[in-house]
Amino acid sequence: APLRDPDLVMPTTAQVLGATGGLAEHIGEKRMLLLLDNFEHLVEAGSALGELLEACPRLDVLVTSRERLRLAAEQEYAVPPFEEADGINFFYARARAVQPGLEADEAVPEICRRLDQLPLALDLAAVRVKALAPGQILARLEQRLPLLTGGARDLPERQRTLRATIEWSHELLDEDSERLFRRLSVFRGGCTLDAAELVAGAELETLQSLVDKSLLRHTAERFWMLESIREYAAERLEESGEATELRERHAEHFLALAEAAGLSLEPKGKQDFALYANELDNARAALDWWFEVDPTQALELAAALEMLWTTIDPAEGMRWFEVLLDKAADAPLELRARALLAYASTTHPTGDDALPERLYQESLEAFRQVGDDRGVAILLFRLGNNAFYRGENQRARQLAEESLVLSKSLGNLGVESQAVALLGELEYASGNLQEGADLIERSANLAGETGFLWWRARMLRKLVDCMLELGRTSDADACARESLELMSEIGDRQMVVFTLARLARIAAETGRHEHAGLLWGAIEAEEGRTPLGAWAKERDRLGAPVLAHEGPEFERGRTQGRLLSLDEGVDAALVADMSPARASREP
């Protein structure tokens, strides 16, 4: 580590080994392991090391470095952070070395996660237990680097604080790499190559250089930093004078991406959920930035993320809209209309009926004031849908028909598909089963034509009930599977549960009792993890035909299902086939 000149590596090695002549001659045919520790700042000496390996056939060299040497014979062994259990054990071992009586504390696992399971970071945090309880350490980890100091005096200076360790690598960067390193800190949760290029001005070779130096990681087509390193890079960004420009560019990029992905419940084009699937943390970073400097832009982004809130975290969406509609009080009326509409969407999964009704009425009035007929058509449907679920069928039909006429005049198939669906549900509720099923199927097909996948998935789920009532079990199974695949891809957790319940019913009614129990157990496991809003109102109705088949086989599957994650429950549902021989109700 103290060496700075690559030309000194071979002479220093020869001196340590006591070579009186050349190093290669000294080693010769000896069987030897040569350990060269901390090599990242001396990689230019790699060619000389390669020549030594060629000259000494029984020599093995073990090099520790944050950057590969790029030798033909090199075998890379990455040293990853701890696995969770190992990190926790390591923390306690280090902490009890300075505080022998330390008891287990629920804050420790979160400390380890927040510190990326890095051994040095955990070591430095653990010594703090002499002065701070684990809960106090955790509370101070919002700013990691000032806390993580005070390593053992017999460690090299660069390992006595986490900052010094990161600085050791940072000092080795050239100007281009240093600039990109600090710029990439603007991303929260990593980024794609496209985003790095567009926002940070990245070039692939420089990105690769940062990966090679262990300051950047690359997995699953994303570049990302350990949080402690990102904090250090963010400090460098603030010092550079580029922070405002980069954060604005970052926010604008993720707003444009949300609009391109069609993350509205009434998109203008095809929905592409995969485009935004991993960007929730970046969206939050953009919202945090705009909340402080431009609340109107923050409201624009929040409204563009309507689908993200309703499918992933409605409560978070509600919190954003509550504060932003107040803080951006002078936002254009058209934007407020869209934001009120999106806000109402986030309230539905909570099972609340009154709040969305009020928000929809406010949104409708705003759309009418700005002369946005498309918005009016959407709101007429939404209000009609609310009326239907409150049992006000006559009002629901009137609003659905108004929405249908207006959406047809605009040529808007997305809204038309929704109005048609509501008319179908009204027919079905009136006892006109086949007519209702035909309208709902038409709605699903219209949504498919326009790429409105979320709505197609919902309509397919409704078709399951229609098909079961009409005795068409195989058709019901096919509709449920496609709906489940779409909802799983979209990430709509609540709708996944609703669809699994229907597949559990199909399994039970076709004699596959163990599989029905498995799916129902997976639903129960998900219920235990977090509230499911509107599911609570429907659970008894949807569960009755499933639980009617309780028995030893059902319970065996149910026990297994309660051990599954929701994703595993989806996989189990999609892998299983309905036996045609058992589908005795099929005409």
Side-chain angles (χ1 to χ4, degrees):
L3 294 182
R4 283 294 180 269
D5 186 350
D7 291 338
L8 293 178
V9 171
M10 291 299 112
T12 303
T13 304
Q15 182 183 1
V16 171
L17 294 180
T20 54
L23 182 56
E25 289 78 10
H26 177 76
I27 297 174
E29 296 290 328
K30 294 187 183 74
R31 180 169 180 79
M32 180 184 288
L33 173 65
L34 176 62
L35 171 60
L36 300 171
D37 196 20
N38 300 300
F39 212 80
E40 57 269 3
H41 58 302
L42 301 164
V43 289
E44 291 85 353
S47 57
L49 193 57
E51 293 170 4
L52 182 66
L53 282 164
E54 287 185 11
C56 305
R58 303 185 71 195
L59 172 67
D60 287 318
V61 179
L62 177 60
V63 179
T64 72
S65 174
R66 296 176 194 176
E67 183 171 358
R68 293 184 63 222
L69 306 188
R70 301 189 182 281
L71 299 178
E74 188 173 6
Q75 297 290 318
E76 182 179 356
Y77 180 85
V79 183
F82 282 128
E83 295 292 333
E84 183 173 358
D86 293 330
I88 293 170
N89 291 336
F90 179 83
F91 181 94
Y92 279 123
R94 288 293 193 263
R96 286 167 180 157
V98 298
Q99 189 78 2
L102 181 71
E103 296 183 355
D105 191 292
E106 63 182 11
V108 170
E110 183 60 22
I111 290 172
C112 296
R113 283 191 289 271
R114 295 279 289 278
L115 293 177
D116 301 310
Q117 305 290 356
L118 291 174
L120 177 61
L122 297 183
D123 198 3
L124 295 170
V127 301
R128 291 295 186 184
V129 299
K130 290 196 73 173
L132 299 171
Q136 293 174 305
I137 294 173
L138 179 59
R140 284 161 173 77
L141 283 182
E142 280 301 316
Q143 292 292 319
R144 299 166 177 77
L145 300 181
L147 178 72
L148 302 178
T149 62
R153 289 191 177 90
D154 58 350
L155 285 173
E157 183 178 350
R158 69 188 182 285
Q159 292 182 9
R160 293 180 195 166
T161 74
L162 187 59
R163 181 187 298 278
T165 302
I166 299 170
E167 283 176 346
W168 170 262
S169 291
H170 183 256
E171 288 171 1
L172 303 177
L173 299 179
D174 60 31
E175 184 178 347
D176 289 342
S177 297
E178 195 281 329
R179 180 170 55 250
L180 180 58
F181 171 69
R182 67 177 183 251
R183 286 180 173 184
L184 290 173
S185 68
V186 77
F187 294 103
R188 191 186 296 176
C191 64
T192 62
L193 175 59
D194 285 347
E197 290 173 336
L198 290 169
V199 175
E203 294 184 355
L204 186 56
E205 286 188 10
T206 313
L207 284 167
Q208 184 62 54
S209 174
L210 291 173
V211 172
D212 289 343
K213 291 177 172 61
S214 302
L215 289 170
L216 187 66
R217 303 200 170 205
H218 183 255
T219 51
E221 299 185 6
R222 292 180 71 80
F223 294 94
W224 56 280
M225 291 178 176
L226 295 169
E227 279 304 301
S228 301
I229 292 175
R230 194 175 81 88
E231 181 183 321
Y232 178 86
E235 290 179 4
R236 304 287 76 77
L237 182 64
E238 291 297 330
E239 293 169 359
S240 72
E242 291 186 309
T244 297
E245 178 187 351
L246 263 292
R247 297 193 192 287
E248 188 70 20
R249 201 185 302 167
H250 170 275
E252 288 172 353
H253 172 76
F254 286 100
L255 171 58
L257 198 68
E259 292 170 342
L263 295 181
S264 162
L265 287 178
E266 279 84 19
K268 294 180 181 178
K270 184 176 181 180
Q271 294 177 311
D272 185 356
F273 298 98
L275 196 62
Y276 220 90
N278 299 308
E279 306 300 357
L280 180 56
D281 285 332
N282 276 310
R284 288 169 174 149
L287 285 165
D288 288 341
W289 164 251
W290 269 336
F291 181 79
E292 297 298 335
V293 302
D294 192 341
T296 296
Q297 279 294 87
L299 188 62
E300 184 82 53
L301 177 56
L305 295 173
E306 181 179 6
M307 176 66 72
L308 205 65
W309 306 130
T310 58
T311 59
I312 294 177
D313 194 344
E316 182 180 359
M318 289 178 68
R319 289 193 298 272
W320 275 116
F321 287 115
E322 285 169 4
V323 296
L324 286 172
L325 282 164
D326 179 57
K327 190 162 186 176
D330 58 349
L333 188 57
E334 189 275 336
L335 172 56
R336 290 188 65 82
R338 287 191 286 113
L340 286 164
L341 172 59
Y343 183 12
S345 299
T346 67
T347 65
H348 276 293
T350 67
D352 188 347
D353 291 330
L355 180 57
E357 179 75 13
R358 176 177 66 79
L359 294 171
Y360 284 145
Q361 288 288 358
E362 290 181 25
S363 179
L364 176 62
E365 180 59 31
F367 275 124
R368 280 178 168 155
Q369 285 186 46
V370 298
D372 187 334
D373 286 343
R374 178 180 180 274
V376 170
I378 292 169
L379 266 302
L380 289 171
F381 158 72
R382 295 283 190 97
L383 287 165
N385 207 46
N386 261 19
F388 173 66
Y389 283 110
R390 289 199 306 272
E392 301 171 10
N393 289 8
Q394 185 175 348
R395 180 168 180 260
R397 185 179 293 278
Q398 176 190 342
L399 289 166
E401 288 173 347
E402 287 182 39
S403 176
L404 182 60
V405 169
L406 186 53
S407 60
K408 278 188 170 182
S409 72
L410 297 169
N412 190 319
L413 293 181
V415 183
E416 181 184 341
S417 70
Q418 295 179 311
V420 166
L422 180 51
L423 291 171
E425 289 205 66
L426 287 162
E427 291 297 333
Y428 193 82
S430 300
N432 302 322
L433 303 188
Q434 188 61 60
E435 187 174 348
D438 290 344
L439 286 169
I440 292 169
E441 186 173 10
R442 181 183 161 207
S443 172
N445 291 337
L446 284 170
E449 287 177 29
T450 60
F452 192 1
L453 300 182
W454 182 80
W455 188 256
R456 176 169 173 79
R458 286 179 65 93
M459 291 305 97
L460 288 170
R461 197 193 76 226
K462 290 184 182 295
L463 271 178
V464 175
D465 296 339
C466 298
M467 296 300 104
L468 287 174
E469 193 70 22
L470 293 167
R472 294 163 57 182
T473 310
S474 291
D475 288 339
D477 186 70
C479 289
R481 285 169 180 273
E482 185 183 345
S483 177
L484 185 61
E485 285 182 356
L486 288 171
M487 282 301 183
S488 181
E489 176 188 334
I490 291 166
D492 194 325
R493 194 172 132 271
Q494 185 169 265
M495 292 302 106
V496 165
V497 167
F498 275 105
T499 310
L500 280 178
R502 287 162 168 84
L503 281 166
R505 174 185 172 181
I506 293 168
E509 293 181 355
T510 54
R512 295 169 295 137
H513 298 148
E514 185 171 344
H515 184 63
L518 181 83
L519 299 184
W520 194 256
I523 291 170
E524 291 176 325
E526 188 66 11
E527 286 180 291
R529 294 183 187 106
T530 184
L532 287 168
W535 166 251
K537 294 182 178 181
E538 297 292 318
R539 188 186 194 280
D540 290 344
R541 180 179 69 82
L542 293 173
V546 180
L547 298 175
H549 297 270
E550 286 181 297
E553 288 184 25
F554 185 91
E555 289 303 322
R556 185 163 57 246
R558 190 183 205 171
T559 300
Q560 294 173 341
R562 285 171 174 167
L563 302 176
L564 300 180
S565 68
L566 188 62
D567 286 343
E568 289 169 334
V570 169
D571 290 341
L574 294 175
V575 166
D577 289 324
M578 187 185 76
S579 171
R582 291 178 173 172
S584 55
R585 296 175 62 195
E586 184 66 28

